[in-house]
Amino acid sequence: MSAQKDRWVSSLVFLLFCAFSIPRSGSVGLQQELSPQHYFSGLEAGKASLAFFSPSVSPGAQPFLEQIESSAEALQDYGISVVKVNCPKEDVSRYCGKENALRKAFLFRGHRLIREFPTDALFDVNSIVANVLFALLFNEVKYVETLADLENAENVLKGKSDMVFAYVPATGTAEHRAVMEAAFVYGTIHQFVLTTEAALLKATSHDDPDVSSAWLSFCHCQRATDPAQPCRRTALGQPLTLLNIHRHLKLMGAPLVTEVAEDPEKVSTVHLQLGLPLVFILSQKETYEADRKTAEFVAWQLLGKAGVALLSRDLVDLNVLHRSNVALKTPDEGMPIQYLVLEDTDEVITLVEDKNKVKQIQEDEQQQEEEEEEDEDEKENNHQDIQDDQVVEAVSRDKKRELPLEQVLVLTEENFLSSLSEAARTVVLFYASWEAVSLAVLRSYAEVAAHLKGTPGVLLSRVNCWDWPSLCSQENVTQFPTIRIYKEGQQSVTYDGMWGTEELSSFILLSRVSCPLKLATMEEAEGYLRGEFPSELSSHHHTSLLGVFGTATSEARKAFEEAGNILSGHVRMGMYFEDDALALSRKYSVSPPALLLARSGGRSVEGIALSKHSVQDVVQMIRYELLDIFPEITVPNLPQYLQLRKPFLILFSAGGISQMESKEMLKVAKQRAQQAFVACWLNLKKTPVGHGILRKYFSTTPSLPVLLWVNFHAGGQVFKFPPELSITETNILSWLEKLQAGLEIPSSTLSEEDWKPPLPAYNFLQMMEPSVPELSPHPGDTPVPHPPKSPGGDTAGGDAATREEPSQESTAEEVGSPGRDLRGTAPRLAARDKQGKRHSEL
């Protein structure tokens, strides 16, 4: 109920802000030229109206009338109408007949008079709105004059609800108006109390307050358990405006301490959303109670200035020194979290309140990033937001170029279903004509249409979801662009690969053939392995995968068929389960159930036993076996090798690698112990992003070729193969043994920065993965083995060189006064390490 109420309040305040900012012409909210009879006959029960009675000609009332007209727009937002009533000369009624009545404004609710206002008290828009709302909220906003009155109001609220106490030097001011407008919105949640007594302000403040300035404080009476103790108060440290009051009340309504059990980079609280920092107190199970008290103490000190969260090391794997006890997350986009070693809570408070200190940390980080980014190419590859801007720029630059879309059928709500049945395979691109990525993909799609022109059984089409939103909603299209292939107008497969012309064409062609393709004779099976069958794929070079099953392997065959449905369009799969299947498998030294893998047009066929029969295991096995033994790393294939979560032994080359280097690296790849790492190479001419990668590893690009060991998943350490040694199998294996023994020093260590897209809609890698199960790093008995310890003594679970185990002294040491020592996970190590005390980033 509380969350629902908060959402209602936030929505109402937002609507009020929007209403105030909408320009209006003239006196749109003022009803003029009404007679007394017309005005009183039109009054509605429960509706408030402010009326000013005046003769038809009254020059003296003109200044007041101008202010009334201006206030009509603001009061109308609160459901209060403002009316000017023209009094005929012969009218001798109460409101028109008396001279003094003509110098007043009258506030009615229905036909009941609420209050009379002298016109000299309504001197501008602020005073009119403030006084009118004050009169209408008379029962909701308490006015107090003495300290006893204030204490009585607090005592009534203790343990029940909170109070907002405001002081304004005089009623009718802009600050008074802001308080009343806030009370109009939040009055059902908090008790508002108002005073204009300077003596009361001085009695409630420890310092000597400036009685000429308005002041507001949030009183936490709901938390007050001791009737003898006053409510704790948090003052608003900003000018009294409606926006600042709303912001302050939102902060006061947030949890005092948030307990976090996830990556702090992903944590978002109301404090960050409102532009305030978030302080993490790092905790562990042994010291949880002390850390909780420390976090609460810090939170009270920083209330309204920063948020505080309790981050459990036991639930979140943090790759930082164990003595780090505080982390600071600023609201600035792109700024990494600062992990610090602080001695007491005073340093935490100083860190937040001293803006220059936070700014200095941010400037140091920014300067470091700028030094590492030496050219525009690197910026393209390291900053998703710049890349996205370039997509928009490229589309905008070529917007006048007409796309050759003659081969692409335009689908609408009227012809969608009928068009799906016209071809065996109908490819549909769902896109939005206003969205840059959609338009960029549309260009690739046009090239695919030209490339596949005349291909039998394939129809390429498109749906503009901007024009046909109901159709896209009906097809459950939730992101743009989306490509689906419909088989005979029924079953559909969603494309989740790269958006390039070659990748799209390959997916469409593979989708034409059943997956897996059932082969009827031994001749068909042999031709399939040679790449000659089926005929529609004979001109395309894909690795062929053939499942061979005997009569007693129905479970494995069923799993293989379901795996084919999952991998349709991505893999060329066939299956053979005739009576002579045993003879076919024995030819390649395996027994059914088995996989036959034919690379390079069937010149070499590898037999692999199919030991696992679950669909997930079969999918993982197929995806793993299709990976090259010594692949060239490119932008499209990098994600599937990263999914293995293994270290990379990668050779960077200025072009193609020599035959000798390829031969020696292939030997290493084939002899790798239990395939514990990925041996690969990268061509800097073909994949120029490699230049930026090397500059990330080293300050300058080293001489090429260069062989590196990189462990992305455990410590991020980069080791460089000695340049004086030749790249041979013997030298490489000897060097790897030294790495395993921890005898080599890393050349550099990768940053812990989480490279993520600026918006969920830009997470293209995630879009590519959903329909194909990921390759698990630990799939039990599948061909993917458990990776051993990384060279240097690291394990897949973390970096032992940067993780210090807590000593018995630290866990056994009693925690002192909570709220002063930051002992939870760092027992006064900062006192012995002054460098850590100076907030050095770990």
Side-chain angles (χ1 to χ4, degrees):
M1 181 66 183
S2 177
Q4 184 178 3
K5 186 180 292 184
D6 287 344
R7 288 194 296 271
W8 179 86
V9 170
S10 299
S11 302
L12 182 54
V13 171
F14 175 75
L15 292 174
L16 289 178
F17 292 155
C18 293
F20 295 156
S21 62
I22 297 175
R24 298 186 174 95
S25 58
S27 54
V28 65
L30 181 64
Q31 303 177 26
Q32 297 190 36
E33 307 301 334
L34 295 182
S35 66
Q37 182 180 4
H38 188 190
Y39 170 66
F40 285 110
S41 64
L43 292 178
E44 301 177 15
K47 187 174 182 180
S49 63
L50 181 65
F52 171 61
F53 295 84
S54 172
S56 299
V57 180
S58 180
Q62 189 61 32
F64 169 71
L65 185 60
E66 293 176 358
Q67 298 301 321
I68 282 287
E69 289 177 349
S70 300
S71 68
E73 300 174 6
L75 290 175
Q76 189 179 40
D77 296 324
Y78 298 98
I80 304 168
S81 59
V82 180
V83 183
K84 176 190 173 185
V85 180
N86 291 327
C87 293
K89 292 182 179 180
E90 64 277 6
D91 193 334
V92 292
S93 63
R94 172 185 175 185
Y95 300 105
C96 290
K98 298 180 180 180
E99 181 64 27
N100 61 345
L102 300 178
R103 293 194 294 271
K104 294 181 180 181
F106 299 87
L107 179 63
F108 293 90
R109 180 179 277 125
H111 287 83
R112 184 167 67 90
L113 176 63
I114 300 297
R115 187 168 177 182
E116 301 176 2
F117 298 102
T119 55
D120 56 359
L122 307 180
F123 46 86
D124 61 8
V125 174
N126 288 328
S127 63
I128 295 172
V129 175
N131 282 296
V132 168
L133 291 180
F134 194 21
L136 290 176
L137 299 176
F138 181 77
N139 294 324
E140 285 79 14
V141 179
K142 293 183 179 296
Y143 183 84
V144 295
E145 297 181 345
T146 66
L147 183 59
D149 293 339
L150 180 62
E151 291 174 348
N152 289 336
E154 282 190 352
N155 292 333
V156 172
L157 296 174
K158 284 180 181 178
K160 299 177 183 178
S161 62
D162 297 319
M163 184 176 76
V164 180
F165 175 45
Y167 162 79
V168 292
T171 59
T173 60
E175 293 83 359
H176 183 210
R177 172 184 174 180
V179 172
M180 297 314 304
E181 288 179 321
F184 186 89
V185 177
Y186 291 96
T188 57
I189 303 175
H190 309 303
Q191 175 65 63
F192 277 72
V193 174
L194 179 71
T195 188
T196 56
E197 300 295 329
L200 179 55
L201 175 62
K202 292 181 178 180
T204 57
S205 177
H206 298 294
D207 304 321
D208 186 18
D210 180 8
V211 296
S212 64
S213 300
W215 178 87
L216 182 140
S217 181
F218 187 89
C219 305
H220 305 268
C221 295
Q222 191 172 9
R223 294 175 179 265
T225 57
D226 187 353
Q229 295 294 325
C231 301
R232 188 191 292 260
R233 296 171 185 168
T234 303
L236 172 63
Q238 297 174 300
L240 229 63
T241 65
L242 180 57
L243 184 59
N244 287 340
I245 296 175
H246 166 67
R247 183 174 181 271
H248 191 62
L249 297 184
K250 290 291 289 182
L251 291 172
M252 297 302 103
L256 183 64
V257 175
T258 303
E259 296 207 21
V260 176
E262 62 176 328
D263 183 354
E265 289 284 1
K266 300 177 182 179
V267 174
S268 178
T269 67
V270 66
H271 307 87
L272 293 170
Q273 296 163 10
L274 294 177
L276 297 179
L278 181 62
V279 175
F280 294 92
I281 303 297
L282 307 188
S283 176
Q284 60 188 14
K285 181 173 58 178
E286 294 83 355
T287 58
Y288 170 80
E289 292 300 330
D291 298 333
R292 176 78 191 184
K293 292 179 181 178
T294 299
E296 290 177 354
F297 178 86
V298 173
W300 279 116
Q301 302 301 310
L302 295 178
L303 196 58
K305 303 174 184 176
V308 176
L310 192 63
L311 177 61
S312 173
R313 288 178 176 270
D314 302 306
L315 301 176
V316 181
D317 185 18
L318 297 177
N319 192 20
V320 297
L321 289 181
H322 191 82
R323 62 184 179 176
S324 298
N325 50 13
V326 172
L328 179 67
K329 183 175 184 179
T330 62
D332 302 312
E333 185 177 353
M335 290 302 299
I337 292 180
Q338 312 291 324
Y339 290 93
L340 312 170
V341 179
L342 303 183
E343 184 174 0
D344 54 43
T345 56
D346 290 339
E347 290 191 343
V348 181
I349 297 167
T350 301
L351 182 69
V352 172
E353 294 181 343
D354 187 352
K355 304 298 184 183
N356 294 328
K357 192 177 293 294
V358 178
K359 185 177 180 181
Q360 183 62 43
I361 294 175
Q362 296 173 344
E363 289 177 352
D364 292 343
E365 289 293 323
Q366 185 67 27
Q367 182 179 1
Q368 183 179 356
E369 289 182 6
E370 292 176 355
E371 290 174 355
E372 292 174 352
E373 298 165 358
E374 296 181 47
D375 55 39
E376 194 66 25
D377 290 339
E378 187 172 358
K379 291 180 181 179
E380 272 187 37
N381 294 289
N382 288 342
H383 295 284
Q384 182 69 34
D385 54 340
I386 296 178
Q387 177 186 339
D388 295 322
D389 289 343
Q390 290 185 343
V391 171
V392 175
E393 188 274 334
V395 171
S396 176
R397 182 185 61 236
D398 297 337
K399 63 183 179 181
K400 293 184 179 180
R401 190 181 74 181
E402 187 174 352
L403 295 177
L405 295 171
E406 299 83 5
Q407 307 298 324
V408 180
L409 178 65
V410 177
L411 299 184
T412 66
E413 290 182 348
E414 287 75 17
N415 69 350
F416 181 78
L417 293 178
S418 60
S419 299
L420 293 184
S421 59
E422 292 181 3
R425 298 288 189 279
T426 303
V427 187
V428 182
L429 168 64
F430 297 92
Y431 70 103
S433 56
W434 49 265
E435 200 255 337
V437 177
S438 289
L439 296 179
V441 171
L442 191 59
R443 297 177 186 177
S444 298
Y445 197 63
E447 295 174 0
V448 171
H451 179 68
L452 299 181
K453 181 180 179 181
T455 302
V458 176
L459 173 66
L460 269 69
S461 61
R462 58 190 171 103
V463 175
N464 185 355
C465 293
W466 178 251
D467 295 332
W468 306 103
S470 298
L471 174 58
C472 295
S473 177
Q474 173 186 319
E475 293 300 307
N476 197 28
V477 175
T478 58
Q479 60 188 26
F480 307 125
T482 292
I483 290 181
R484 289 188 183 152
I485 298 181
Y486 291 82
K487 180 181 178 182
E488 297 176 353
Q490 301 295 325
Q491 192 177 10
S492 67
V493 176
T494 301
Y495 177 67
D496 55 5
M498 303 294 286
W499 295 112
T501 303
E502 182 179 349
E503 292 80 9
L504 272 172
S505 299
S506 175
F507 180 80
I508 293 171
L509 290 172
L510 282 177
S511 298
R512 297 172 61 204
V513 180
S514 299
C515 188
L517 178 66
K518 297 178 181 179
L519 306 172
T521 65
M522 180 79 81
E523 290 73 21
E524 285 185 353
E526 295 281 8
Y528 180 84
L529 291 174
R530 291 191 299 270
E532 301 170 357
F533 184 86
S535 59
E536 54 263 45
L537 294 182
S538 59
S539 60
H540 299 276
H541 302 288
H542 297 283
T543 297
S544 298
L545 185 74
L546 179 63
V548 182
F549 304 93
T551 56
T553 57
S554 59
E555 182 182 354
R557 190 178 77 184
K558 183 178 180 181
F560 185 80
E561 289 186 79
E562 292 185 18
N565 293 331
I566 294 174
L567 297 172
S568 176
H570 301 278
V571 180
R572 178 171 174 167
M573 292 174 58
M575 63 182 301
Y576 189 67
F577 52 92
E578 300 300 326
D579 294 338
D580 52 357
L582 182 60
L584 178 64
S585 60
R586 285 179 176 174
K587 180 178 179 180
Y588 299 102
S589 304
V590 289
S591 299
L595 301 181
L596 300 181
L597 192 65
R599 306 179 192 270
S600 305
R603 287 191 293 272
S604 63
V605 178
E606 179 183 359
I608 306 165
L610 188 60
S611 58
K612 289 292 183 178
H613 300 163
S614 74
V615 178
Q616 180 71 17
D617 288 332
V618 173
V619 170
Q620 290 175 347
M621 180 178 182
I622 291 173
R623 294 185 68 197
Y624 180 79
E625 294 297 341
L626 289 175
L627 297 177
D628 291 334
I629 298 175
F630 178 54
E632 177 187 355
I633 294 297
T634 61
V635 172
N637 71 10
L638 176 60
Q640 58 186 318
Y641 289 100
L642 284 176
Q643 285 179 358
L644 298 175
R645 299 190 65 82
K646 298 179 181 179
F648 274 33
L649 179 66
I650 181 168
L651 178 66
F652 287 81
S653 174
I657 57 177
S658 67
Q659 186 176 0
M660 185 274 292
E661 292 169 342
S662 177
K663 181 179 178 181
E664 295 298 319
M665 288 292 296
L666 191 57
K667 289 180 183 178
V668 174
K670 288 181 177 180
Q671 294 184 11
R672 53 192 178 185
Q674 296 183 338
Q675 300 166 333
F677 56 87
V678 176
C680 54
W681 69 288
L682 191 145
N683 185 344
L684 293 180
K685 285 188 177 180
K686 185 177 179 180
T687 310
V689 68
H691 290 285
I693 294 173
L694 288 176
R695 282 194 293 271
K696 198 76 176 180
Y697 295 165
F698 312 99
S699 57
T700 58
T701 303
S703 58
L704 301 175
V706 59
L707 181 63
L708 303 177
W709 173 280
V710 187
N711 195 342
F712 303 101
H713 311 288
Q717 294 177 328
V718 180
F719 295 87
K720 181 181 178 183
F721 182 74
E724 65 273 11
L725 298 179
S726 58
I727 299 177
T728 64
E729 177 189 4
T730 302
N731 289 340
I732 294 173
L733 293 179
S734 176
W735 179 60
L736 292 180
E737 289 178 0
K738 293 181 180 179
L739 292 184
Q740 183 74 35
L743 301 178
E744 292 288 330
I745 300 175
S747 302
S748 62
T749 301
L750 300 182
S751 168
E752 297 178 5
E753 177 186 2
D754 184 13
W755 291 2
K756 56 186 178 181
L759 294 172
Y762 295 152
N763 196 347
F764 302 118
L765 290 180
Q766 187 182 48
M767 296 176 192
M768 292 164 54
E769 297 172 2
S771 67
V772 182
E774 290 189 2
L775 186 61
S776 171
H778 302 293
D781 298 329
T782 58
V784 186
H786 293 273
K789 285 186 178 181
S790 305
D794 300 337
T795 64
D799 183 2
T802 59
R803 293 175 184 266
E804 299 177 7
E805 291 299 325
S807 64
Q808 294 181 358
E809 177 186 355
S810 69
T811 56
E813 181 178 0
E814 291 186 2
V815 178
S817 173
R820 286 301 172 189
D821 290 342
L822 286 174
R823 297 192 180 191
T825 56
R828 292 228 161 195
L829 289 176
R832 300 190 293 272
D833 187 352
K834 295 302 181 183
Q835 183 176 2
K837 184 178 178 180
R838 295 190 61 81
H839 313 150
S840 299
E841 182 192 5
L842 301 178

